Amino acid sequence: MRAAKEVTQCYMVTGDAGFVLVVAVEDLEAFDVFVKTKLYTKPNIRKFRT
């Protein structure tokens, strides 16, 4: 996530989520591209919520 220009902040948290990402993108289409290229392609990411 350090290399992803869309990620402006990343926090390690307790509870249901392991991490919280703050992502800045231009629109929902750009968010969809981010999800498909940066999250779905990482085998260590089992699930995520928006």
Side-chain angles (χ1 to χ4, degrees):
M1 294 296 101
R2 287 183 191 177
K5 63 181 176 157
E6 300 91 347
V7 177
T8 61
Q9 300 173 52
C10 180
Y11 301 97
M12 186 175 177
V13 298
T14 60
D16 292 339
F19 293 89
V20 172
L21 298 178
V22 177
V23 178
V25 292
E26 206 169 298
D27 53 26
L28 284 176
E29 185 177 328
F31 181 72
D32 189 51
V33 170
F34 169 78
V35 166
K36 289 178 179 173
T37 61
K38 301 295 192 308
L39 299 181
Y40 283 153
T41 60
K42 305 298 181 198
N44 290 330
I45 298 177
R46 288 186 290 170
K47 64 181 179 177
F48 63 92
R49 261 188 343 236
T50 62

